[in-house]
Amino acid sequence: MKFGILFGARSYEHEISIVSAIALKNVLKSEPMFVFCDKFREFYLIEAKDMKANFFSSGNYKKSKKLLLKNGGFFAGGMFGEKKIEADVFINLIHGMDGEDGKMAALLDFYEIRYIGPRLEASAMSYNKELTKLLAVKAGVKVLKYEVLRRGDTSNFALPVILKPVRLGSSIGVSVVKDDSELEYAQDVAFEFDTEVLVEPFIEGVKEYNLAGCKIDGKIKFSIIEEPKKKEFLDYEQKYMSFSSESRAKEADISEALKAKLKESFERIYSCGFDGALIRCDFFVIDDEVYLNEINPNPGSLANYLFDDFEATINALAKNLPRERDIRIDYQFINSITSAKGKL
Amino acid sequence: MKFGILFGARSYEHEISIVSAIALKNVLKSEPMFVFCDKFREFYLIEAKDMKANFFSSGNYKKSKKLLLKNGGFFAGGMFGEKKIEADVFINLIHGMDGEDGKMAALLDFYEIRYIGPRLEASAMSYNKELTKLLAVKAGVKVLKYEVLRRGDTSNFALPVILKPVRLGSSIGVSVVKDDSELEYAQDVAFEFDTEVLVEPFIEGVKEYNLAGCKIDGKIKFSIIEEPKKKEFLDYEQKYMSFSSESRAKEADISEALKAKLKESFERIYSCGFDGALIRCDFFVIDDEVYLNEINPNPGSLANYLFDDFEATINALAKNLPRERDIRIDYQFINSITSAKGKL
């Protein structure tokens, strides 16, 4: 299986995506192709030797081969005509906008390129934190209570609260507010990134568990369950460090009963359209009840550090990708009208 | 304002879209550019004189100029290099898959092409009839009770019921079931088109009203309210006839109070992310209460027959399109890590 790794794009998490791709390169035994999407949404074929963060930040990537996305694949121009980039399956490793909001899924599906990643509908639902709540409720998984504010609205929740832009991954624009005096600034920060802001109660010391997985042959293949390191919440840099460390995470020390509950909740969420993706669900556990915190449909470096057999997992997933419904267009309708009414 | 009309694509409503584009051509005073997407998802520039149904059904469209979708627009190749199709704003007139499921929105946004039509998230929500229900509830608009079945599930609803594939526009795959003996066949038909089927009670003679509109300068510009012709439900051909008739629809004879209620419900739905689109909402009225039946985010020929001043409306809408958030990518994060840790 030859993988292509798609990363970058126009996103607040553009840089995270670069780091994520570099981390994945260091994990994979088989050498993938690297396709970088820059902030102007131009695609480039990056050679493995150039997969270093400063190759991108310096702008040197522009000397790489430019690619064109067309029916069937990414193509490089050349003296002897166009040549398709040889990859059997692409991994959508674009975080945040363009990658997780459904755009990349749409482009790849439209042009019939096979990929690991959430499909359009699942992307749209998990990119928007309010829609994620609706999805969880529909799936029968609990969520914390929440409000959605637009600019000028006031929250009815008692402090402490956590504020999050509705449509961002990572921890960008997120603040914990414990005192009234901090509220206005936290709102301003969150509204920098979206027109809608999600407010939830902030629960000091709440138990958190992360679980990743994907569906293979009709069954969920689960990662280990991780209890992420305790911090008020992970900021941008900490999150990056967590998935680029390249060391295997440790299994959380919890009861088999709780593990089973977390897995059941994961499966309920995954069944709402995530076929073809390897996702990570972040859960809270309060009074032995599982609550969905968020869905990472393209987790950093594909959460490889949570799997004992990551490469085997994605190879199996690559053989289990959903196919678009086959639609026959035969012009029966137009032909019937044309013959009934004369030429249209 | 020079419009480009995008139509066709890989959809069960491919043919409806062709007819829809022809109808729109006959309505518009200013001549638009026509961009056809065929079932192979290749784009063609269609000359106005060729805008006849059998030009497409015969395959003659393949002699038209082929276009390539790239950053900034649709481009035609030629002896003297590439030439961009001159259109200020495209109208997404692709019905069903590719057009209303969010793919076309994604492509146009990704390549920074301005367009009239629902954005990705609004498309994903309105294309899926179950998500439309969730959206309506979130917006505070009533919906009929419903179930979602997968193959093998049995409905708990008393007959008569109406069965609809979850992810299709038009009336394709829809059946009314009044007798147990019809249920199995109706399910088979619906499952031909989707893995999930929506079941609702079928209410004989329910009052139906259609209302279209779009947001211009922060205010909804409404069409007239139409009471569609009574039939059990409109089939494919009847629907086509209804929007290609080119005659103005008649305003429904209802109280001002009910009109106001319908408009308020429309506005609540539209506010859930439909900026940039001209949509039609189809409502039921039961005991003086308004229920959302469905959202048509790209209504047939843009529901022009419901507007007295259609051309002025879409010209104003074209000046009120949402813009994507501007995202600055400055590599600050990578630069800070690189300098702290040495070269990554």
Side-chain angles (χ1 to χ4, degrees), chain A residues 9-12 14-16 18-19 36-37 39-43 52-54 56-57 61 68-71 97-98 101-104 106-107 109-112 120-121 124-125 128 130-131 134-135 138 150 167 191-196 236-237 240-241 271-272 324-338 341 343-344, chain B residues 9-12 14-16 18-19 36-37 39-43 52-54 56-57 61 68-71 97-98 101-104 106-107 109-112 120-121 124-125 128 130-131 134-135 138 150 167 191-196 236-237 240-241 271-272 324-338 341 343-344:
Chain A
R10 190 177 299 170
S11 160
Y12 290 114
H14 175 96
E15 300 180 54
I16 287 277
I18 292 171
V19 175
F36 176 60
C37 178
K39 61 182 169 184
F40 306 108
R41 290 170 172 152
E42 304 280 5
F43 295 102
K52 296 189 179 77
N54 60 10
F56 303 96
S57 56
Y61 72 85
L68 200 58
L69 176 56
K70 292 199 310 181
N71 222 308
M97 204 169 103
D98 284 3
D101 62 359
K103 279 199 214 82
M104 199 48 57
L107 267 74
D109 273 335
F110 190 84
Y111 289 121
E112 298 185 72
L120 191 151
E121 188 184 284
M125 294 299 282
N128 177 316
E130 184 182 12
L131 300 182
L134 299 181
L135 179 136
K138 157 173 126 70
R150 296 190 182 193
R167 287 174 195 82
F191 281 121
E192 275 290 297
F193 298 98
D194 202 343
T195 53
E196 296 180 312
Y236 197 84
E237 185 150 353
Y240 146 71
M241 294 301 176
S271 302
C272 295
E324 275 207 313
R325 194 161 277 268
D326 197 29
I327 290 188
R328 207 178 52 185
I329 294 167
D330 53 13
Y331 294 106
Q332 241 185 53
F333 171 60
I334 283 179
N335 291 332
S336 74
I337 300 178
T338 312
K341 303 205 310 176
K343 282 188 181 176
L344 268 181
Chain B
R10 189 175 302 169
S11 161
Y12 290 114
H14 175 94
E15 301 181 54
I16 287 275
I18 291 172
V19 175
F36 176 60
C37 177
K39 61 182 170 182
F40 306 107
R41 290 172 172 151
E42 303 280 4
F43 295 101
K52 296 189 180 78
N54 60 9
F56 302 95
S57 56
Y61 73 85
L68 199 60
L69 176 56
K70 292 200 308 180
N71 223 306
M97 204 169 102
D98 283 4
D101 62 0
K103 278 200 215 80
M104 200 47 57
L107 267 73
D109 272 335
F110 189 83
Y111 289 120
E112 297 186 71
L120 191 152
E121 187 184 285
M125 295 297 285
N128 177 316
E130 184 183 12
L131 299 182
L134 299 181
L135 179 136
K138 157 173 125 74
R150 296 191 180 190
R167 290 174 193 80
F191 281 121
E192 275 289 298
F193 298 98
D194 202 343
T195 53
E196 296 181 310
Y236 198 84
E237 186 151 352
Y240 145 70
M241 294 302 177
S271 302
C272 296
E324 274 207 314
R325 193 162 278 268
D326 197 30
I327 290 187
R328 207 178 53 183
I329 293 167
D330 53 13
Y331 294 105
Q332 242 186 51
F333 171 61
I334 283 180
N335 291 334
S336 74
I337 299 177
T338 312
K341 303 204 313 175
K343 282 188 182 176
L344 268 180

Side-chain angles (χ1 to χ4, degrees), chain A residues 294-314:
Chain A
E294 56 182 56
I295 304 170
N296 289 282
N298 290 341
S301 71
L302 231 51
N304 68 78
Y305 53 92
L306 294 179
F307 289 88
D308 287 330
D309 50 356
F310 176 70
E311 197 136 1
T313 303
I314 59 168

Side-chain angles (χ1 to χ4, degrees), chain A residues 9-43:
Chain A
R10 190 177 299 170
S11 160
Y12 290 114
E13 292 161 82
H14 175 96
E15 300 180 54
I16 287 277
S17 176
I18 292 171
V19 175
S20 184
I22 293 169
L24 200 54
K25 170 180 183 285
N26 296 337
V27 164
L28 292 176
K29 281 168 223 103
S30 64
E31 191 166 291
M33 307 291 276
F34 294 95
V35 174
F36 176 60
C37 178
D38 77 354
K39 61 182 169 184
F40 306 108
R41 290 170 172 152
E42 304 280 5
F43 295 102

Side-chain angles (χ1 to χ4, degrees), chain B residues 90-327:
Chain B
F90 280 84
I91 294 173
N92 177 2
L93 207 63
I94 298 170
H95 305 307
M97 204 169 102
D98 283 4
E100 290 177 303
D101 62 0
K103 278 200 215 80
M104 200 47 57
L107 267 73
L108 296 172
D109 272 335
F110 189 83
Y111 289 120
E112 297 186 71
I113 297 168
R114 295 171 64 66
Y115 65 101
I116 288 177
R119 271 50 203 169
L120 191 152
E121 187 184 285
S123 303
M125 295 297 285
S126 52
Y127 185 62
N128 177 316
K129 291 182 170 66
E130 184 183 12
L131 299 182
T132 301
K133 299 266 189 188
L134 299 181
L135 179 136
V137 171
K138 157 173 125 74
V141 176
K142 289 195 169 62
V143 292
L144 294 189
K145 64 175 185 172
Y146 67 98
E147 303 177 299
V148 175
L149 304 185
R150 296 191 180 190
R151 226 180 255 276
D153 293 348
T154 40
S155 166
N156 294 309
F157 282 9
L159 300 184
V161 292
I162 184 161
L163 267 62
K164 306 171 177 176
V166 164
R167 290 174 193 80
L168 266 189
S170 255
S171 304
I172 303 171
V174 175
S175 310
V176 171
V177 175
K178 296 184 175 176
D179 189 279
D180 274 331
S181 64
E182 303 157 359
L183 192 60
E184 198 180 324
Y185 179 71
Q187 285 192 7
D188 282 348
V189 169
F191 281 121
E192 275 289 298
F193 298 98
D194 202 343
T195 53
E196 296 181 310
V197 169
L198 189 91
V199 185
E200 291 174 315
F202 176 71
I203 305 168
E204 190 90 51
V206 66
K207 284 285 181 191
E208 273 190 73
Y209 299 100
N210 299 346
L211 172 58
C214 54
K215 195 177 269 176
I216 293 168
D217 296 331
K219 257 190 87 209
I220 302 280
K221 157 84 186 172
F222 290 105
S223 74
I224 61 160
I225 296 169
E226 183 197 21
E227 183 172 354
K229 279 183 205 72
K230 212 61 219 171
K231 270 270 187 180
E232 203 152 83
F233 61 97
L234 295 178
D235 68 17
Y236 198 84
E237 186 151 352
Q238 286 159 351
K239 277 218 174 170
Y240 145 70
M241 294 302 177
S242 77
F243 68 72
S244 68
S245 71
E246 290 169 36
S247 64
R248 198 74 51 222
K250 279 196 190 64
E251 172 107 54
D253 183 19
I254 52 174
S255 69
E256 289 305 314
L258 182 53
K259 281 185 192 171
K261 267 191 196 176
L262 289 163
K263 286 179 179 175
E264 196 213 323
S265 299
F266 181 97
E267 187 154 9
R268 284 174 178 270
I269 298 291
Y270 194 95
S271 302
C272 296
F274 287 94
D275 286 35
L278 187 160
I279 71 173
R280 198 188 74 211
C281 288
D282 297 353
F283 295 107
F284 292 141
V285 173
I286 304 167
D287 294 336
D288 222 36
E289 293 280 4
V290 173
Y291 293 75
L292 179 71
N293 177 25
E294 55 182 57
I295 304 170
N296 288 284
N298 289 341
S301 71
L302 233 51
N304 68 79
Y305 52 92
L306 294 178
F307 289 88
D308 288 329
D309 49 356
F310 176 70
E311 197 137 3
T313 303
I314 58 167
N315 272 285
L317 175 57
K319 291 176 193 132
N320 273 269
L321 301 174
R323 284 185 185 276
E324 274 207 314
R325 193 162 278 268
D326 197 30
I327 290 187

